[in-house]
Amino acid sequence: GENVEQHPSTLSVQEGDSAVIKCTYSDSASNYFPWYKQELGKRPQLIIDIRSNVGEKKDQRIAVTLNKTAKHFSLHITETQPEDSAVYFCAASMIGNQFYFGTGTSLTVIP
Amino acid sequence: DTAVSQTPKYLVTQMGNDKSIKCEQNLGHDTMYWYKQDSKKFLKIMFSYNNKELIINETVPNRFSPKSPDKAHLNLHINSLELGDSAVYFCASSQDRLPPREQYFGPGTRLTVT
């Protein structure tokens, strides 16, 4: 089955700096890669996703890149703000709607 | 207007008891899931149901049993609760079509076993 690895497990940045979280996957059949943000005590919520036919996608301060050949994808947050502090999960999915989540990255934005 | 709802939000019980957590989605999705999130924040898939058929069971103890009375509900029954079952349990749902779509999560149920 699919194996998704996520790094780093914790990340601290100064407000205004950029944050990058990286994930790798093992199954080349995976074709959908969502990113979820989980604030303390809340549910995971989708913030951005990318499909295997696209190399990059942006939404304001958030962007995701995908390298199918290397089987890795990354989340980029620019101009970080304290409200970006949360746990971020990457995931990989394929036909049949099986989702495989990474182990999470706890991001702290220091004011 | 809640998309995925769970009850109860908090559940405190003693070892050995049997408990249930209910989940309902009003999105018309085909697939529902149960996840366990431990203290390290790992999201572990437990079960998923597609049109009332179990399609994933990730080495979960048989004390855990999902029950789906209809497409909009997937309840989780836990027998003989153990201390290690303490965690937050999330229900989720998604539409089963190509290409894959996002999962919507419920608010979570924090289970504490004493």
Side-chain angles (χ1 to χ4, degrees), chain A residues 58-107:
Chain A
K58 288 184 180 179
D59 183 4
Q60 299 181 340
R61 296 185 297 107
I62 296 173
V64 56
T65 57
L66 171 65
N67 183 327
K68 283 193 299 182
T69 303
K71 296 196 189 71
H72 65 71
F73 56 111
S74 301
L75 177 70
H76 304 253
I77 306 174
T78 59
E79 300 172 25
T80 53
Q81 301 168 3
E83 51 265 38
D84 294 329
S85 295
V87 178
Y88 291 81
F89 292 95
C90 64
S93 180
M94 60 187 80
I95 294 172
N97 256 13
Q98 299 180 52
F99 281 74
Y100 298 86
F101 281 85
T103 49
T105 296
S106 179
L107 173 66

Side-chain angles (χ1 to χ4, degrees), chain B residues 28-58:
Chain B
H29 285 168
D30 297 312
T31 309
M32 296 182 71
Y33 310 79
W34 277 106
Y35 288 89
K36 178 182 180 181
Q37 187 171 47
D38 59 24
S39 57
K40 293 184 178 180
K41 303 298 183 184
F42 296 153
L43 269 174
K44 176 185 175 183
I45 180 73
M46 301 178 72
F47 304 102
S48 73
Y49 253 78
N50 186 325
N51 294 324
K52 294 191 178 183
E53 182 181 356
L54 178 67
I55 58 173
I56 297 177
N57 185 335
E58 295 284 332

